Amino acid sequence: MLQLIDETMKSVMEAACSFESDRVTVIDNSGQVHTVEREGFESDETEEESESDYSDSGLVLEVGDMARAHWIQLHKLNKQALVVQNTFVYILEKYKHIRPVWQFGMKINDTTPDWKLLIYDDFYFKHHCASVQSAITMIMENMDDRESLQKLLHEMGAHHFFYEACEPHLDIFIEALMTTMKNHLVGPSKMDEDTEQSWRLLLNDVKKFMCEGISYQRNIYLKQCTTPFEIAEIRKKWEKIVEYGLAEAGVIFCDKALRSYSKLIDAHNIPLVLPIQKTSLVYDQFAEQTMKAFDTTIKSYLETTGFWELPAKVKDFVVKCMVLEICPTFARRAMTEGMFAMLSHILGDEEMNESSMRTWSKVYRALEQVGLD
């Protein structure tokens, strides 16, 4: 894991620092790093924009330098690491459903009174916080060159797609960082109103550019994650599911998925209430909507664009039921197990070999990503 993070940071910096290039790093489905033309990263800004056009972005010297000066001051006071660590402790405490995004988050046990003290000593927690601290420093170092900053953040965003990070996570991080600095910094390191405004403007631009990078990498995935041959095989098997009955198949699917999800949150001591009870009317609706969403996903695949044009009508279902209101990491695992249980029951265990399971997993992954695009 640490080697992967180090290699990722190295590739990000090598690509982002090549400012004479108009290419951007993209990771394909095999895990290989390569570059593509940056045309997908076009910003809304034009070359004719004057300095006054940037005055609301937080990246003009008069505004952006206040956040940078504050970050430098925190370095001199040896408080940068503490701010970042307290930021993630805030996230881990307030947003329990995203703890499994990080390895150290899955170790937390709320029944242990001193879990916060233990997390500060966790090697992976400290390494992750150090990486974020370095990333903020890189952002500050590139603030004077907006094009360079934009390219750097596009690279970071593209890589975060594979870290299970999505756009709402950036909002959570910004909230946590600002709250931490307001509540924990006193004396010489305390933020005044102008410095706080400078930070907020800067972080809004950071979010904007990173979201562009995440979205671009997501679109690459949706276009390339499966082949026409794989989809042809999926559609043949899906016909048998339709013949069996989508409603009946949905019950098998969701029964296994909900039981798996419940076991996962219990095993990792995450105090979340199961969002759907089997005896409720909502359960039947959820089962029906789940199968309809899969049906729409499989039918929407095009050889030229993959799942990229997956209808927007699936998005509301995905956002509500599969991504944001529950633990997304465990939801994916549970939904995948539910899908495999349903397929094995209807198609037979012999049809669920490793290759087939991998392809079906990519179909689910494509469906999941629709809600974040």
Side-chain angles (χ1 to χ4, degrees), residues 1-11 127 131 163:
M1 174 64 73
L2 294 181
Q3 182 180 3
L4 174 60
I5 294 174
D6 292 338
E7 290 176 353
T8 297
M9 291 300 294
K10 181 179 179 181
S11 64
H127 187 277
S131 297
Y163 295 155

Side-chain angles (χ1 to χ4, degrees), residues 181-285:
M181 289 195 292
K182 289 175 65 176
N183 293 345
H184 291 270
L185 297 179
V186 296
S189 61
K190 183 178 177 63
M191 287 194 305
D192 57 26
E193 291 184 3
D194 291 337
T195 302
E196 179 182 346
Q197 178 68 3
S198 176
W199 269 107
R200 291 192 181 280
L201 292 171
L202 170 63
L203 292 172
N204 283 339
D205 272 326
V206 170
K207 173 191 170 184
K208 173 187 174 183
F209 293 146
M210 285 194 67
C211 284
E212 290 173 356
I214 294 173
S215 179
Y216 185 73
Q217 186 65 67
R218 178 183 297 120
N219 288 336
I220 292 291
Y221 180 85
L222 290 174
K223 289 179 181 180
Q224 300 179 355
C225 65
T226 55
T227 66
F229 174 78
E230 289 175 326
I231 288 298
E233 291 297 311
I234 288 290
R235 285 173 173 167
K236 288 180 182 178
K237 295 176 181 178
W238 189 252
E239 290 177 0
K240 297 181 181 179
I241 306 298
V242 174
E243 291 176 4
Y244 182 87
L246 292 182
E248 294 79 2
V251 171
I252 300 171
F253 186 129
C254 294
D255 178 61
K256 175 63 175 178
L258 291 176
R259 284 190 287 111
S260 297
Y261 181 78
S262 181
K263 289 180 180 179
L264 285 168
I265 60 176
D266 289 343
H268 291 86
N269 301 298
I270 298 179
L272 295 176
V273 177
L274 195 64
I276 301 173
Q277 301 300 323
K278 187 174 180 180
T279 57
S280 67
L281 177 62
V282 176
Y283 175 85
D284 293 333
Q285 295 174 343

Side-chain angles (χ1 to χ4, degrees), residues 25-217:
T25 300
V26 171
I27 307 176
D28 63 22
N29 299 320
S30 64
Q32 297 298 314
V33 178
H34 57 93
T35 57
V36 297
E37 295 297 332
R38 288 176 53 84
E39 58 184 13
F41 276 145
E42 290 299 324
S43 174
D44 294 333
E45 296 158 9
T46 63
E47 294 181 359
E48 289 76 17
E49 286 178 320
S50 64
E51 183 172 308
S52 61
D53 294 322
Y54 289 165
S55 60
D56 293 332
S57 71
L59 294 177
V60 191
L61 291 179
E62 290 82 353
V63 179
D65 268 6
M66 297 181 71
R68 178 163 54 188
H70 186 234
W71 185 247
I72 293 173
Q73 183 183 33
L74 293 179
H75 171 70
K76 293 179 178 179
L77 296 172
N78 197 29
K79 290 188 176 181
Q80 283 185 357
L82 185 61
V83 165
V84 176
Q85 289 177 0
N86 285 338
T87 295
F88 279 96
V89 168
Y90 174 92
I91 294 173
L92 293 169
E93 183 174 24
K94 184 174 181 179
Y95 298 98
K96 297 178 175 63
H97 66 291
I98 63 172
R99 287 178 181 177
V101 170
W102 305 285
Q103 181 178 356
F104 53 80
M106 290 194 287
K107 299 178 182 178
I108 296 174
N109 186 346
D110 283 294
T111 61
T112 303
D114 59 347
W115 71 264
K116 292 182 184 179
L117 296 178
L118 295 175
I119 201 70
Y120 282 115
D121 288 331
D122 185 90
F123 173 80
Y124 294 102
F125 175 79
K126 290 190 289 187
H127 187 277
H128 178 74
C129 291
S131 297
V132 173
Q133 180 183 346
S134 297
I136 296 175
T137 299
M138 285 190 290
I139 291 170
M140 297 299 184
E141 290 173 349
N142 286 277
M143 277 176 50
D144 294 337
D145 187 338
R146 187 174 179 81
E147 182 179 353
S148 300
L149 178 65
Q150 183 178 359
K151 185 174 181 180
L152 172 67
L153 292 170
H154 283 165
E155 295 285 343
M156 288 184 178
H159 282 80
H160 271 72
F161 171 81
F162 294 98
Y163 295 155
E164 309 297 337
C166 57
E167 289 83 343
H169 292 156
L170 300 180
D171 289 317
I172 290 175
F173 176 78
I174 291 174
E175 175 207 333
L177 178 61
M178 295 305 299
T179 301
T180 297
M181 289 195 292
K182 289 175 65 176
N183 293 345
H184 291 270
L185 297 179
V186 296
S189 61
K190 183 178 177 63
M191 287 194 305
D192 57 26
E193 291 184 3
D194 291 337
T195 302
E196 179 182 346
Q197 178 68 3
S198 176
W199 269 107
R200 291 192 181 280
L201 292 171
L202 170 63
L203 292 172
N204 283 339
D205 272 326
V206 170
K207 173 191 170 184
K208 173 187 174 183
F209 293 146
M210 285 194 67
C211 284
E212 290 173 356
I214 294 173
S215 179
Y216 185 73
Q217 186 65 67

